[in-house]
Amino acid sequence: MNKEKLAKEIIDNIGGKENVTHVGHCMTRLRFNLKDKSAVAIDPIENLDGVMGVQFSGGQFQIIIGPGVEDLYETLVKLGDFGEQQGQTIKSNPEPAAKKERFSFKTILDKMMDTIAGCLTPILPILIVAGLIKMLAALVGPSMLNVASESSDIYRLLTFVGDAGFYYFPVFVGLSGAKKFGSNQMIALLMGVILVHPSFVEIVASGEPFSVFGIPMTPSSYSSTVIPMILITWVMSYVEKYLKRFIPTALSTLFVPLLTVLIMLPLGLCLLGPLGTIIGLGLGNGLILLRELFGPFGVAIIGALYLPIVATGMHLPLIATALMSITTLGYDNTVLVGALVTVYTSLAISLGFMLKSKDPQKRSLGLSCFVSQSLGGVGEPTLFGIQFRYKRTIIYSMLGAFAGSLYAGFMNCAVYFVGASNFMAALGYTGGASSGIFHGVIACGIGFVVTFTLIMVFGYEPKTAVSKEESEPSVIQELSEEQ
């Protein structure tokens, strides 16, 4: 793609750079918060070379790009003068106070989704790297290949490095949350470090009463947590704004950060931190309740619906809930169990599409989608390039995911870490009983075989659509070029 041209056309068609209040990206999408959503020219953006799709979701305008999104984002940030770091709040373009959305459940849900996505998206690389390193530790350790003992340097190294990626969640979320809410990033990092400081950990572990400026503190461990720091950085942004209104500019450099920390210590340690812990436990217990009520069928339903949820861009809250389960229980046996199966159903769709297609351009599209998913762990090319264009293929994926997830549910499979969504995704089942990875691989195999069989037997489109398709080769050419 021509990055400069595409970035300029995107900015022009979203209402100009003045319409952007926040911009970021995930693994495959540009994510915009806009002042005026009606200013977006959706059709022209959808027709741009390099754009796979667009949608409004969770209060954001999302443009699906695919694996090249990071390079495009950097170009877009330079052209729009938006800032230099991922997840940049545009301070020169604050959201207009006059345009307040009407209070409703939908607006609340949108803001929650936007907040969680904005705070978690920037730290996804940490989660993936930490998950892969934990996977390597499990592979070489005594529970699998037994190449390294638990006392060996390599096993201990991989273990503590992988654990560090999860243990310091409050620090990582502090930085991304500060970017999202526009507060002081360094002070947010300090607040995150306070929550995991060894002295604070000892105070909590002792169980003895402790007060913050005379206010009783509820002892709670914040390592590997997400919600507490989201709440702390959110409230901290308002505290900073309030202080800047009353403290003279000449004194603000010293007193705004100092007073912010002194105010946030009792708020964070005595109110927001414990509240975030309660919310996190509630979400985790919700997953446990879902499993208890519906058993393996609850896992199968989530697995079947996971790809459509990804398409809406609302999968990050689900992942956040699963991560809370992993950090508190050591595993997730509800959300990610089915999510891993969908990786292999997507592989089956792209491979089957390539084999069933007679058109060279379609075969190229199928091959590129297969490579993107199997090696790069990026599923959006298959989702938007094939499954949402040929609607019956997503039905095949959902059926395959249901079958594989149902087997995993009956076998009590659980996921112990989040890694890349490529051909090694099934290794996420490694960590518990030795039979867990065995049944997890079988579940993923069932998902692949069911999906692949369906597309090979029934095809990816009705036979009556062949003539129409052949009369529109430019559409296929465009999709192939996007990949």
Side-chain angles (χ1 to χ4, degrees):
M1 68 179 76
N2 186 323
K3 292 182 294 183
E4 288 76 13
K5 180 182 177 183
L6 179 56
K8 182 180 183 304
E9 291 178 330
I10 287 175
I11 292 174
D12 291 342
N13 285 290
I14 60 175
K17 64 181 184 180
E18 297 80 9
N19 195 35
V20 180
T21 61
H22 182 272
V23 59
H25 74 86
C26 56
M27 302 296 286
T28 55
R29 310 175 190 211
L30 294 172
R31 294 170 176 261
F32 296 91
N33 288 72
L34 305 173
K35 289 182 181 179
D36 183 6
K37 297 178 183 178
S38 64
V40 177
I42 293 179
D43 289 341
I45 295 177
E46 281 186 317
N47 293 324
L48 293 175
D49 289 335
V51 172
M52 301 177 63
V54 301
Q55 64 185 7
F56 282 100
S57 179
Q60 294 180 326
F61 180 61
Q62 303 175 2
I63 302 178
I64 298 96
I65 301 297
V69 67
E70 187 171 355
D71 291 339
L72 177 61
Y73 171 81
E74 292 175 358
T75 303
L76 182 137
V77 162
K78 291 178 182 178
L79 287 178
D81 193 26
F82 293 142
E84 297 180 355
Q85 295 176 311
Q86 200 271 334
Q88 181 69 34
T89 295
I90 317 303
K91 295 182 179 179
S92 59
N93 299 335
E95 293 188 33
K99 288 193 174 182
K100 289 185 178 180
E101 296 183 87
R102 190 172 63 180
F103 182 84
S104 67
F105 176 76
K106 182 180 182 301
T107 57
I108 294 176
L109 184 62
D110 282 348
K111 289 186 181 297
M112 288 176 59
M113 297 296 182
D114 174 47
T115 298
I116 294 174
C119 293
L120 284 185
T121 298
I123 68 173
L124 284 179
I126 296 175
L127 300 180
I128 292 173
V129 170
L132 290 175
I133 290 177
K134 286 176 71 69
M135 177 197 72
L136 290 175
L139 280 175
V140 302
S143 63
M144 292 195 69
L145 299 179
N146 200 22
V147 175
S149 67
E150 291 185 354
S151 60
S152 65
D153 289 349
I154 184 63
Y155 183 82
R156 293 167 63 194
L157 173 68
L158 294 175
T159 299
F160 82 73
V161 170
D163 289 342
F166 293 91
Y167 182 85
Y168 290 101
F169 263 11
V171 181
F172 307 142
V173 175
L175 179 60
S176 60
K179 292 178 182 179
K180 172 64 180 174
F181 301 119
S183 55
N184 189 308
Q185 296 175 20
M186 295 301 105
I187 299 302
L189 285 175
L190 175 59
M191 291 300 301
V193 170
I194 289 171
L195 296 185
V196 293
H197 190 277
S199 295
F200 179 77
V201 173
E202 288 179 8
I203 291 171
V204 173
S206 70
E208 297 178 359
F210 188 82
S211 64
V212 182
F213 303 145
I215 303 173
M217 183 191 77
T218 301
S220 183
S221 176
Y222 298 111
S223 61
S224 304
T225 60
V226 174
I227 302 297
M229 271 309 295
I230 291 180
L231 294 177
I232 288 172
T233 51
W234 174 54
V235 172
M236 192 176 79
S237 67
Y238 288 98
V239 171
E240 284 185 0
K241 292 175 185 176
Y242 182 82
L243 292 173
K244 288 177 180 179
R245 288 174 56 187
F246 297 99
I247 296 177
T249 304
L251 302 175
S252 63
T253 302
L254 173 61
F255 286 102
V256 169
L258 174 61
L259 292 176
T260 298
V261 172
L262 293 178
I263 292 171
M264 290 307 302
L265 282 174
L267 284 176
L269 299 180
C270 301
L271 176 63
L272 300 174
L275 177 61
T277 300
I278 292 172
I279 294 173
L281 290 174
L283 292 173
N285 290 334
L287 287 183
I288 295 173
L289 180 62
L290 176 66
R291 183 66 185 261
E292 289 178 350
L293 289 177
F294 299 100
F297 289 94
V299 178
I301 291 170
I302 292 179
L305 296 177
Y306 191 75
L307 279 179
I309 292 173
V310 170
T312 66
M314 296 174 68
H315 56 297
L316 282 177
L318 270 180
I319 293 177
T321 305
L323 288 174
M324 292 174 208
S325 180
I326 290 176
T327 54
T328 54
L329 301 176
Y331 60 86
D332 167 56
N333 61 358
T334 307
V335 174
L336 296 178
V337 172
L340 294 190
V341 176
T342 63
V343 173
Y344 297 89
T345 65
S346 292
L347 287 173
I349 288 296
S350 56
L351 180 62
F353 183 85
M354 179 182 68
L355 296 177
K356 289 289 288 186
S357 299
K358 298 180 180 179
D359 188 300
Q361 297 295 341
K362 286 188 178 182
R363 289 182 178 177
S364 176
L365 171 61
L367 176 61
S368 64
C369 289
F370 183 79
V371 172
S372 292
Q373 181 79 74
S374 61
L375 300 181
V378 179
E380 267 84 349
T382 302
L383 185 61
F384 292 98
I386 298 176
Q387 291 170 299
F388 269 64
R389 178 167 290 273
Y390 304 97
K391 299 297 190 297
R392 59 169 57 188
T393 61
I394 199 166
I395 302 298
Y396 300 158
S397 282
M398 293 174 69
L399 292 173
F402 184 90
S405 301
L406 187 62
Y407 175 84
F410 274 113
M411 295 296 107
N412 294 314
C413 293
V415 175
Y416 296 85
F417 57 83
V418 179
S421 300
N422 56 21
F423 72 98
M424 296 191 299
L427 293 175
Y429 296 109
T430 305
S434 58
S435 61
I437 179 64
F438 175 75
H439 290 299
V441 169
I442 291 178
C444 293
I446 290 173
F448 180 91
V449 170
V450 170
T451 306
F452 186 74
T453 300
L454 287 171
I455 191 172
M456 293 303 292
V457 172
F458 298 104
Y460 53 82
E461 62 186 346
K463 293 182 179 180
T464 55
V466 173
S467 60
K468 177 182 178 181
E469 166 198 319
E470 292 176 349
S471 68
E472 296 179 351
S474 60
V475 173
I476 305 304
Q477 176 69 36
E478 177 185 345
L479 279 172
S480 179
E481 291 174 353
E482 287 176 356
Q483 306 307 315

